[in-house]
Amino acid sequence: MSAASAASAASINWAAIDADPRFQKLHHKKVSFLLGLMIFSVAYYFLLPIGAAYFPQLFGIRVWGPINVGLLFALSEFIVAWAIAFYYSRRANREFDAMARELIADAEKIGS
Amino acid sequence: MNKRHALYLAAGALALPLVAMPALAQGAVASEWRWLTFTVFAAIIGVTMFVTYLAAKRVKSVADFYTAGGGVSGLQNGWAIAGDYLSAASFLGIAGLISLYGYDGFMYSVGWLVAYITVLLVIAEPCRNIGKYTLADILAYRNDPKKVRVVGAISVITVSTFYLTAQMVGGGVLVKTLIGIDYEISVIAVGILMLGYVLFGGMVATTWVQIIKAVLLVTASILLVMFVWLPYGFSLPAFLQAAIGDTKVQAQVATLLGDASKNMTAAELGQRFLEPGLLFKAPIDQISLGMALVFGTAGLPHILMRFFTVPTAQEARKSVIWAMAIIGGFYVLTLFLGLGAAMHVGAANIRAVDAGGNMAAPLLAQFVGGGGDSFLGNLFLAFVAAVAFATIVAVVAGLVLAAASAMAHDLYVGVIRGEHVTPQEQVKAARIATVIVGAMAIAIGIAAKGQNVAHLVALAFAVAASANFPCVLLTLYWKRCNTGGIMAGMVVGTLTAIGLVLVSPNMTYPKAIKAAAQKVVEGAPARAAALNEAKSSGDAAKVAKAENDLRALDAGVAKARDDLKRLENDNTSLVGLEKPLFELKNPGLISIPLGFLAVILGSLLYRDRRAEEMWDELYVRQNTGILAARAQAH
């Protein structure tokens, strides 16, 4: 840590880290994972206003007492949002952080 | 003393609609209970002031002032984000919408939570890894610092000012409706209190004020929901069944549907409350607003700024997870608050105090405690009113800090002084900017009295989604993005969002208002005749309803005459239009893609070697956090 704390942006070979296979692996994993989750969450969210506007009959079908499809769907938006957050943080905590830590530890060695 | 008493009474009376209805005595805080509200207010202000006093000792450097020295934990920051985000509009507004419109109100709340997925996945951690104090710091990392700081700061100040205006005006109206304090006095009180927190305690005090407010808000909501839900053994179907079986709820649906409800049974009317379509009639507008929320939150400067207060990307991640749990949980609670208010207080009584439904939660609190004549009922109301007040102050403090940092750190230190500033000068500049923004907030709040500012929050989200979000996202993730793109994106995103609103149906169109007023005046005699006939029908319920409707008709005609007279020589809107050029109330659907397009085209047409050379550094740092955690270790 003592040697590392003297580091500055200038003393690190960023291009070399970018080209490092470990960084490339992190980058590819993260980008595809985030893009997929982002598209899914946005699409799932917009199903709600679209469904409410164009499929009111479907939303009105009663499932459990007065609880209808629309209400369940709106509640599911909360569950799905929380699930995405949980899923992302688990993957980031277990996988991405470990990969990043390796790169941080070697930051000054790579490409020098 | 007598005179002042009379003044308070007069102000209190003004807060209530002039129609004399017995229910109104319970409307806002009754004058004999006002001392209770002030006591609770004083307690909350006392606690937050004490926290500010402690915080002030810890605020020494400019980093302390803007970001609490990066020493906030993920859990604390999660609560602070919730406190920063849950404005009075979401606390009182969404509960109110649910109480008046049922399902649509609840559906409206969903987008405010989903927005945090964008923040979590693509914004929070990279911003923590490469950012320092402001949104423009992120843009300046690999672009021409002076140029992007100017456009970035202008956009931040624009977004914050729109949001701030809505909060100040909404807060003033709210405090007046709740306890009858004069509008101007409450605006000044909010402004000075907030200035006290920010000026002396910087981000440390602001963070704690936001945490305290969020804890109070969540506690109050949980308590209320316990009271409302307990009688049904915490069964969701039983609670919903009771809500839709209530005659007040059924009557509200009948009122909303008008003639369409004629052949519906009471049970059908009640069930209809849980189905979509009572409030939102234009799906495209809904989708447009949804886009502004989902992409705009990630571009809100006061939310972005919160991620600079935590030490690492991991803590930033943790803070969004906490914020999502708190914010989402809170919106689920509002379903119960709204439906509880709909059945216990009733839409008619809620609307009598505030047409937008903002008083649903406070009135529910009063009911739950035992009603307007009981000590407990008034204590609950006082507590909720004080929480609403704390809510406004906490949100305003975050906004002022964001705007002040853009002014002092980006414009003054970065652009005017070219970064050649001593640490002492930086702290001084930050404090001076805070006073300027705070004074501006008070002045705008007073100047905008009586204006309809509700759409300004949506506009703030639209500008953030159309200008800030594309710029931040693309500078973080797109190699080719550069200074030209940022400049173009900020300018095009901001101007199209504002421009489209200026020509949208949100503005006031005198011709349309006059035509509607004319129709009311002309139709009045026929309607009055029909109601008078119903009055003589003998059926007690029908007579009561007809009398109510007649009173409403009289009020409507008076207002229509007033409108006709007021707008006599006025034919065009603020920008000189007779009717809207653009049909959407929310510009996001058009302005967000345009913002992205502007960043892309601007980048492609502009050559910027530095932006490309710095790409490796920025991209590696935003993904790994190299140097970020270490900077904190010093």
Side-chain angles (χ1 to χ4, degrees):
Chain A
M1 197 68 195
S2 57
S5 61
S8 68
S11 72
I12 292 176
N13 187 342
W14 299 104
I17 301 178
D18 190 19
D20 191 282
R22 285 173 295 175
F23 182 78
Q24 283 300 318
K25 197 174 157 202
L26 173 66
H27 153 77
H28 285 301
K29 276 196 166 177
K30 248 177 124 169
V31 165
S32 57
F33 180 64
L34 292 182
L35 196 68
L37 264 191
M38 196 67 217
I39 291 172
F40 171 77
S41 66
V42 169
Y44 194 77
Y45 167 62
F46 282 107
L47 282 180
L48 182 68
I50 291 172
Y54 299 104
F55 305 98
Q57 277 82 15
L58 174 71
F59 270 36
I61 297 172
R62 288 203 269 164
V63 183
W64 182 24
I67 300 175
N68 56 31
V69 172
L71 209 53
L72 283 181
F73 192 61
L75 285 170
S76 82
E77 291 276 352
F78 288 85
I79 309 292
V80 167
W82 285 326
I84 289 172
F86 179 74
Y87 180 45
Y88 165 75
S89 76
R90 216 173 73 141
R91 181 108 193 250
N93 289 339
R94 288 187 180 176
E95 206 176 328
F96 303 149
D97 282 358
M99 294 168 84
R101 263 197 302 274
E102 251 183 62
L103 288 160
I104 294 173
D106 290 349
E108 280 152 275
K109 287 181 227 150
I110 299 170
S112 62
Chain B
M1 200 61 193
N2 256 338
K3 206 170 168 188
R4 186 194 274 173
H5 233 93
L7 214 73
Y8 278 154
L9 277 177
L14 275 177
L16 309 171
L18 296 168
V19 204
M21 275 200 273
L24 282 185
Q26 313 167 1
V29 180
S31 52
E32 67 263 36
W33 292 105
R34 202 156 294 146
W35 62 272
L36 194 55
T37 310
F38 285 127
T39 311
V40 181
F41 265 50
I44 292 181
I45 292 172
V47 170
T48 48
M49 277 297 169
F50 180 66
V51 167
T52 307
Y53 168 75
L54 294 180
K57 294 187 195 164
R58 283 175 49 197
V59 175
K60 294 191 183 80
S61 70
V62 71
D64 295 334
F65 190 85
Y66 289 138
T67 64
V72 177
S73 77
L75 174 62
Q76 289 167 342
N77 198 38
W79 281 93
I81 292 170
D84 207 1
Y85 190 64
L86 295 172
S87 62
S90 36
F91 171 37
L92 302 174
I94 292 179
L97 287 182
I98 296 173
S99 76
L100 298 181
Y101 305 102
Y103 185 83
D104 276 6
F106 185 51
M107 187 175 89
Y108 178 72
S109 75
V110 171
W112 299 79
L113 171 70
V114 173
Y116 276 87
I117 295 179
T118 316
V119 176
L120 175 68
L121 296 184
V122 294
I123 295 293
E125 296 175 40
C127 286
R128 166 61 276 172
N129 278 339
I130 65 158
K132 201 172 162 198
Y133 304 143
T134 64
L135 183 144
D137 281 340
I138 299 160
L139 304 177
Y141 198 96
R142 68 188 182 109
N143 299 301
D144 183 325
K146 283 197 178 178
K147 285 181 187 156
V148 298
R149 276 188 200 284
V150 171
V151 287
I154 289 174
S155 165
V156 165
I157 293 168
T158 308
V159 171
S160 304
T161 306
F162 285 152
Y163 215 116
L164 201 55
T165 307
Q167 295 299 318
M168 293 303 277
V169 176
V173 173
L174 193 75
V175 173
K176 189 176 159 177
T177 317
L178 275 169
I179 43 176
I181 301 179
D182 263 350
Y183 175 88
E184 283 84 358
I185 295 176
S186 78
V187 166
I188 294 171
V190 168
I192 289 180
L193 205 55
M194 162 277 295
L195 258 180
Y197 300 140
V198 180
L199 196 58
F200 299 109
M203 185 52 106
V204 183
T206 303
T207 301
W208 281 105
V209 168
Q210 288 168 345
I211 293 173
I212 292 170
K213 164 260 174 117
V215 171
L216 284 174
L217 185 59
V218 170
T219 311
S221 305
I222 290 178
L223 283 178
L224 279 178
V225 170
M226 295 281 277
F227 275 106
V228 173
W229 202 6
L230 180 70
Y232 306 97
F234 296 114
S235 149
L236 183 60
F239 172 75
L240 292 174
Q241 195 61 58
I244 65 175
D246 188 275
T247 49
K248 289 191 286 300
V249 172
Q250 292 161 356
Q252 166 70 359
V253 176
T255 310
L256 290 172
L257 291 177
D259 289 343
S261 68
K262 264 188 185 142
N263 298 321
M264 290 169 77
T265 64
E268 283 169 344
L269 283 172
Q271 185 65 38
R272 185 71 183 79
F273 202 58
L274 302 180
E275 290 166 12
L278 291 180
L279 173 61
F280 301 126
K281 316 280 184 207
I284 302 292
D285 233 338
Q286 268 319 100
I287 291 166
S288 194
L289 174 68
M291 282 179 71
L293 289 179
V294 169
F295 301 121
T297 305
L300 286 179
H302 64 292
I303 298 297
L304 216 57
M305 196 173 182
R306 290 238 50 96
F307 296 109
F308 305 133
T309 68
V310 291
T312 60
Q314 285 73 31
E315 291 297 309
R317 182 188 306 149
K318 213 197 246 172
S319 60
V320 191
I321 304 284
W322 274 108
M324 284 182 73
I326 299 161
I327 292 167
F330 175 77
Y331 285 136
V332 173
L333 293 179
T334 56
L335 176 65
F336 293 89
L337 296 183
L339 291 177
M343 66 171 149
H344 294 308
V345 184
N349 290 328
I350 296 167
R351 295 202 72 144
V353 186
D354 179 89
N358 282 321
M359 290 302 124
L363 290 178
L364 177 67
Q366 194 182 38
F367 168 85
V368 157
D373 303 321
S374 65
F375 176 79
L376 207 57
N378 281 287
L379 182 68
F380 280 19
L381 176 58
F383 185 65
V384 169
V387 170
F389 186 71
T391 288
I392 297 158
V393 176
V395 175
V396 167
L399 287 164
V400 166
L401 200 49
S405 65
M407 206 179 264
H409 176 71
D410 294 323
L411 290 182
Y412 179 73
V413 174
V415 178
I416 298 175
R417 298 285 300 269
E419 313 277 350
H420 302 295
V421 190
T422 66
Q424 289 80 6
E425 281 178 314
Q426 287 201 39
V427 178
K428 203 173 150 196
R431 290 212 155 103
I432 291 173
T434 302
V435 174
I436 294 173
V437 177
M440 196 182 77
I442 296 174
I444 292 177
I446 290 173
K449 182 185 180 179
Q451 299 293 311
N452 178 9
V453 292
H455 57 270
L456 278 182
V457 170
L459 181 57
F461 273 89
V463 173
S466 315
N468 300 355
F469 180 66
C471 290
V472 172
L473 187 77
L474 293 177
T475 201
L476 287 173
Y477 292 94
W478 186 40
K479 186 175 182 177
R480 191 70 178 78
C481 181
N482 61 32
T483 312
I486 301 298
M487 309 271 290
M490 282 291 185
V491 172
V492 170
T494 306
L495 291 186
T496 47
I498 297 175
L500 287 175
V501 166
L502 282 177
V503 298
S504 78
N506 291 312
M507 307 305 287
T508 305
Y509 294 92
K511 269 203 164 169
I513 293 178
K514 282 194 282 190
Q518 195 66 42
K519 219 171 140 188
V520 169
V521 173
E522 279 166 8
R527 176 118 171 87
L531 287 172
N532 275 321
E533 197 177 311
K535 219 168 104 178
S536 53
S537 70
D539 181 347
K542 268 189 187 160
V543 170
K545 187 177 179 310
E547 275 172 357
N548 247 332
D549 288 352
L550 269 174
R551 235 178 278 132
L553 182 67
D554 281 345
V557 170
K559 191 183 170 297
R561 290 231 164 85
D562 196 47
D563 282 344
L564 281 173
K565 205 166 162 209
R566 186 167 50 92
L567 301 169
E568 205 175 355
N569 301 314
D570 211 350
N571 278 318
T572 57
S573 72
L574 189 66
V575 289
L577 291 173
E578 288 191 357
K579 60 180 192 339
L581 274 182
F582 177 70
E583 282 308 319
L584 290 181
K585 282 185 182 163
N586 299 291
L589 196 63
I590 311 286
S591 62
I592 297 169
L594 276 180
F596 272 99
L597 196 68
V599 180
I600 293 169
L601 287 181
S603 299
L604 293 176
L605 294 173
Y606 189 89
R607 289 295 300 166
D608 187 355
R609 296 261 310 264
R610 182 169 176 264
E612 278 178 55
E613 280 165 8
M614 294 290 287
W615 166 252
D616 286 337
E617 179 177 333
L618 175 131
Y619 195 66
V620 168
R621 281 189 72 170
Q622 72 103 324
N623 270 298
T624 59
I626 294 175
L627 296 181
R630 231 170 266 160
Q632 292 303 325
H634 283 293

